Amino acid sequence: MKTFCGRANPTTGALDWVEESEEYDYHQEIARSCYADMLHDKDRNEKYYQGIRAAVSRVKARGERVVVLDIGTGTGLLSMMAVTAGADYCYAIEVFKPMATAATCIVERNGFSDKIKVINKHSTEVTVGPDGDMQERANILVTELFDTELIGEGALPSYEHAHMHLVQADCEAVPHRATVYAQLVESDMLWKWSQLQPIEVDGNKLLPPPAVVKCAGAPSVCDIQLSQVPPESFTPLGPICTMFRVDFSKQVSSAAQSYTAQFKAQTSGRAQVVLSWWDIDMDPDGSIVCTMTPKVPLIRTLNENKLSLWRDHWMQSVYFLPAEKNVSEGEELNLIGSHDDYSLWYGLTHSVQNDVKVATFRPCCTCQAHLVWTRPRFGELNDEQRTESYVNALRSILKPDSVCLSVSDGSLLPIFAHLLGSKKVFSLESSGMAKQKTFKLLNGCVYLVYLYIYSDLIFFTLQISVLMGEPYFSTSLLPWHSLFFWYCRTAVAQLLHPSATILPRAATLYIVAVEFRDLWRIRAPCGTCEGFDVSPMDEMIQRSLDYRESLEAEPHPLWEYPCHALTKPRPVLTFDFTQCVPEQPVNSDGTVPITGGRCHGVALWMEYQLTEDITVSMGLTKPVSEEGACEWNPHRKQGVFFFRSARETSGDGREDLSYNLTFEPHTGDIKMDFSITEP
């Protein structure tokens, strides 16, 4: 059986639907998953083990036979913990077939097949009875159904069904409860991810359309490594609030609910953002706690030692208020947290309300701008330094008779070009919504022509004197996918004036070998976890990593994942946009000295040469320090090529990073190979 899968095509700037074998989709799911990250999360594993031991002891103390239901078993780790702790039998539910197969293999390898039954079903399809999947209801419910938002993976409906149909009324639950916390803050940095800010160009102030300003924004949560956000970039306006708790040992409801936290504003400011995270208590006494509290100096809890360890499978959440509100120190405020069965959202009121009605629907985008631009894209468009670079570059090349064609998605370059005095400005856009949003920025006072498809260019009679792009395309995943701009430049070659200026004039792909502080965990084999052999999962992930493009680099926002450079940044491929895309592949190979450390892989990014003197980087924003510290562009994802296993390097000059990269013009992709070699 075949399946259609979307894949970014750098030569067309579109998502191609490619026919693949039925194994393709789940190979990608496994290869890009964070199963290894969860198993490397020692704090999580230890806390679950402690909670399971305590729950088994409590049931045994009541003289009962211990029957465990493990929903979302994954590798079967928690079920094996339960049996080792003394459980009589475990039903391990796993809906993802490849994972259920791996769990069965792991359970067998560890000698628990007689006490653990792996059931490849969704928990809501599991039956109980003499002929059912389970012979009897369980008296211990063990789950790991949580995401960064706590309930985003359907935890509430799953618990609700389990209590009604799969477990006893007085069951123990591990974890026993969850607590959701929130804090109201002012943060220009974070707010710029949600709202377009005014932009000034040569005395002209561009104001965002009222529809954008009044829009509630994108409804989805923004999950980030909050500990990597500079603490000086936000100001707490209120205390950390306990928003609500869920007791998993009792009947759980997935119905929409709202909760209110009342407090006095600690300082005056603009209420813009709500930071949120959660704890899970593994036992009723709350003595075994696994927390997502970020390691940020401005975050203060009653227990200063209760701070989260690094995790990528669970992070922290940022929620943007529908509109910013001015608050005054000492003012009484209500922070309202609401949820349905899968998502959370927040609101703020000034007056005390004893009866808060449930919000039937979570806020959603009404202006369409949040459907066109992602949150990193909002941040990029609001980056004043970046805007200055593009405006200065345009100012240096534009003339009163310039005819400009812009090729980028949702770009403001056409507006800048007009305000700088161009005769005519055209924009090739892939989205009609993008056209509407950028046009409204001008309050309807500027005449711009938007072209949607290349066929429009057939009727194009003017010669283009300036072809410009950022480049940015919504379908681009990896840095070199933005080379679509080069293919566009080639497609319109006949429309270019002989002396036409191309901006950017070139792009260069850079590489640097890195040692990650934490991100390596998502790819590192686990072997054993809490004394259990989980190597069949390592083997399953490796098979998926070997499957076609899973061998390639992955996109990651490296500003969230600190790393240490082990080589100097090295330019490896340059793409000359003043010339058309070549017919033949372009190859680059060589070596670069590597310093001592633990090399996990190679980071890759693009730098664009706008003019002779102006360059913008989509990767490193500052030179690498003497100690190897890296600062990364927060608006674009960089590529990461992971080595299959980390390589210890001595730094004594006997080892190099060896590279071989080939740009394939017919696919627009880059094939790469890296290794650590001795000269």
Side-chain angles (χ1 to χ4, degrees):
M1 182 178 176
K2 300 288 186 178
T3 184
F4 285 97
C5 301
R7 186 180 301 148
N9 186 334
T11 68
T12 64
L15 280 176
D16 287 349
W17 291 97
V18 182
E19 190 178 66
E20 297 284 0
S21 65
E22 62 180 344
E23 295 86 10
Y24 175 85
D25 213 19
Y26 75 69
H27 275 303
Q28 297 307 299
E29 175 69 20
I30 295 169
R32 304 299 187 221
S33 70
C34 288
Y35 288 121
D37 173 38
M38 289 186 282
L39 293 181
H40 282 293
D41 188 345
K42 188 168 180 61
D43 178 68
R44 161 194 175 270
N45 300 335
E46 288 179 345
K47 298 294 175 55
Y48 262 100
Y49 213 165
Q50 293 170 23
I52 289 170
R53 288 194 191 101
V56 170
S57 296
R58 290 194 297 272
V59 174
K60 282 186 171 293
R62 298 199 295 262
E64 300 177 20
R65 181 172 179 268
V66 179
V67 180
V68 176
L69 173 62
D70 176 9
I71 300 178
T73 194
T75 59
L77 176 66
L78 303 185
S79 289
M80 293 189 294
M81 288 179 176
V83 171
T84 304
D88 295 288
Y89 202 79
C90 290
Y91 295 100
I93 314 298
E94 177 56 53
V95 68
F96 189 39
K97 185 175 181 180
M99 202 68 242
T101 301
T104 301
C105 181
I106 291 170
V107 166
E108 181 179 351
R109 182 170 296 190
N110 286 274
F112 295 116
S113 295
D114 60 331
K115 289 200 170 184
I116 298 175
K117 179 182 179 181
V118 178
I119 303 171
N120 180 209
K121 285 185 176 182
H122 194 284
S123 63
T124 57
E125 299 173 345
V126 171
T127 58
V128 179
D131 299 321
D133 301 306
M134 299 171 59
Q135 295 295 299
E136 58 190 313
R137 288 189 176 223
N139 50 17
I140 295 182
L141 175 58
V142 177
T143 62
E144 207 279 58
L145 299 171
F146 314 117
D147 67 349
T148 294
E149 204 172 11
L150 182 69
I151 64 174
E153 292 185 3
L156 295 181
S158 296
Y159 273 110
E160 186 175 43
H161 177 271
H163 276 287
M164 287 192 293
H165 302 286
L166 304 178
V167 298
Q168 297 176 13
D170 58 348
C171 79
E172 300 281 346
V174 181
H176 181 79
R177 76 175 66 85
T179 306
V180 175
Y181 302 95
Q183 185 171 35
L184 181 69
V185 303
E186 173 184 334
S187 174
D188 284 335
M189 173 189 166
L190 297 178
W191 189 243
K192 286 178 180 178
W193 294 357
S194 179
Q195 284 289 347
L196 195 62
Q197 305 297 303
I199 301 172
E200 189 164 331
V201 179
D202 277 13
N204 296 287
K205 195 167 188 178
L206 302 176
L207 299 176
V212 176
V213 176
K214 296 177 181 178
C215 180
S220 58
V221 64
C222 177
D223 54 343
I224 63 171
Q225 296 284 354
L226 190 55
S227 295
Q228 296 308 309
V229 176
E232 65 272 13
S233 68
F234 59 87
T235 302
L237 300 179
I240 294 175
C241 301
T242 299
M243 294 307 302
F244 65 92
R245 289 188 170 92
V246 182
D247 187 338
F248 297 125
S249 68
K250 299 178 181 178
Q251 181 63 55
V252 173
S253 172
S254 62
Q257 297 184 57
S258 288
Y259 308 86
T260 301
Q262 298 181 359
F263 58 89
K264 290 184 178 180
Q266 295 177 340
T267 186
S268 299
R270 291 167 295 151
Q272 299 167 322
V273 174
V274 177
L275 310 178
S276 185
W277 60 91
W278 47 266
D279 290 344
I280 44 177
D281 295 330
M282 296 298 181
D283 64 328
D285 296 334
S287 60
I288 308 169
V289 182
C290 188
T291 181
M292 304 308 116
T293 304
K295 295 179 180 179
V296 178
L298 292 177
I299 300 297
R300 293 290 181 257
T301 63
L302 294 177
N303 180 0
E304 291 291 332
N305 296 319
K306 193 171 73 171
L307 295 175
S308 172
L309 302 179
W310 185 87
R311 299 178 172 94
D312 200 46
H313 56 102
W314 294 331
M315 293 185 278
Q316 292 81 37
S317 300
V318 173
Y319 298 90
F320 302 96
L321 293 177
E324 65 178 0
K325 295 183 179 181
N326 292 320
V327 299
S328 301
E329 182 177 355
E331 184 176 2
E332 293 281 352
L333 298 174
N334 279 349
L335 182 62
I336 305 169
S338 303
H339 72 78
D340 53 21
D341 48 351
Y342 281 91
S343 59
L344 285 145
W345 61 93
Y346 286 89
L348 183 71
T349 63
H350 290 276
S351 58
V352 176
Q353 295 179 355
N354 295 322
D355 180 24
V356 179
K357 295 182 179 180
V358 175
T360 308
F361 301 104
R362 60 177 175 164
C364 63
C365 174
T366 56
C367 73
Q368 297 185 337
H370 300 89
L371 305 179
V372 175
W373 297 322
T374 63
R375 291 189 175 103
R377 180 60 171 164
F378 268 96
E380 188 169 52
L381 293 173
N382 286 323
D383 187 327
E384 295 176 358
Q385 184 175 350
R386 171 187 174 277
T387 295
E388 183 180 3
S389 294
Y390 279 94
V391 169
N392 288 339
L394 286 170
R395 186 183 291 115
S396 70
I397 64 173
L398 293 177
K399 300 176 182 178
D401 61 348
S402 291
V403 177
C404 305
L405 175 63
S406 173
V407 181
S408 278
D409 285 351
S411 177
L412 301 182
L413 292 191
I415 300 174
F416 298 162
H418 173 82
L419 294 177
L420 292 171
S422 296
K423 178 181 178 181
K424 278 189 176 292
V425 181
F426 299 86
S427 180
L428 185 64
E429 289 280 3
S430 63
S431 168
M433 287 191 293
K435 175 234 176 177
Q436 295 172 21
K437 293 305 110 187
T438 51
F439 184 77
K440 286 181 179 178
L441 282 169
L442 300 172
N443 299 320
C445 64
V446 174
Y447 177 67
L448 292 177
V449 178
Y450 284 82
L451 310 172
Y452 302 127
I453 53 178
Y454 285 116
S455 59
D456 290 346
L457 296 174
I458 296 175
F459 306 102
F460 207 81
T461 57
L462 296 174
Q463 281 197 311
I464 300 167
S465 55
V466 175
L467 178 67
M468 58 188 179
E470 301 187 28
Y472 171 83
F473 303 100
S474 58
T475 56
S476 297
L477 300 176
L478 290 160
W480 45 94
H481 288 170
S482 289
L483 289 176
F484 173 52
F485 176 80
W486 201 11
Y487 290 87
C488 293
R489 178 260 180 269
T490 303
V492 302
Q494 294 182 341
L495 302 177
L496 298 178
H497 189 276
S499 61
T501 301
I502 313 296
L503 184 153
R505 59 192 299 172
T508 300
L509 180 67
Y510 279 78
I511 63 170
V512 64
V514 293
E515 175 181 0
F516 285 110
R517 191 180 71 189
D518 300 299
L519 188 62
W520 61 270
R521 291 182 175 89
I522 71 172
R523 291 291 164 264
C526 189
T528 60
C529 181
E530 298 302 313
F532 302 103
D533 182 358
V534 294
S535 57
M537 186 212 65
D538 295 333
E539 296 161 6
M540 177 188 70
I541 292 176
Q542 191 57 61
R543 285 193 298 271
S544 293
L545 286 170
D546 289 340
Y547 194 87
R548 293 192 54 173
E549 82 255 19
S550 296
L551 287 165
E552 300 175 357
E554 306 173 14
H556 289 283
L558 292 185
W559 74 270
E560 293 188 60
Y561 304 110
C563 63
H564 178 84
L566 300 179
T567 65
K568 296 291 185 184
R570 171 67 63 91
V572 290
L573 285 172
T574 296
F575 311 96
D576 185 358
F577 296 157
T578 66
Q579 304 297 318
C580 293
V581 176
E583 292 290 332
Q584 301 301 318
V586 180
N587 179 261
S588 174
D589 56 36
T591 59
V592 55
I594 191 167
T595 61
R598 188 172 177 82
C599 186
H600 295 115
V602 178
L604 306 95
W605 70 97
M606 286 288 201
E607 291 192 4
Y608 294 104
Q609 187 179 359
L610 303 185
T611 65
E612 188 70 33
D613 304 319
I614 302 175
T615 300
V616 292
S617 173
M618 302 297 109
L620 290 174
T621 57
K622 292 183 179 180
V624 174
S625 72
E626 290 294 327
E627 296 76 25
C630 301
E631 291 191 27
W632 298 96
N633 185 312
H635 310 309
R636 299 282 183 105
K637 290 184 179 181
Q638 293 74 40
V640 179
F641 182 98
F642 286 99
F643 289 132
R644 291 192 173 181
S645 59
R647 175 71 182 270
E648 296 287 351
T649 57
S650 61
D652 58 7
R654 294 185 300 171
E655 297 150 314
D656 291 328
L657 172 70
S658 177
Y659 61 87
N660 188 307
L661 297 97
T662 302
F663 168 66
E664 300 282 356
H666 298 295
T667 64
D669 218 339
I670 295 177
K671 303 300 180 184
M672 61 191 67
D673 183 54
F674 298 96
S675 60
I676 306 296
T677 59
E678 293 188 8

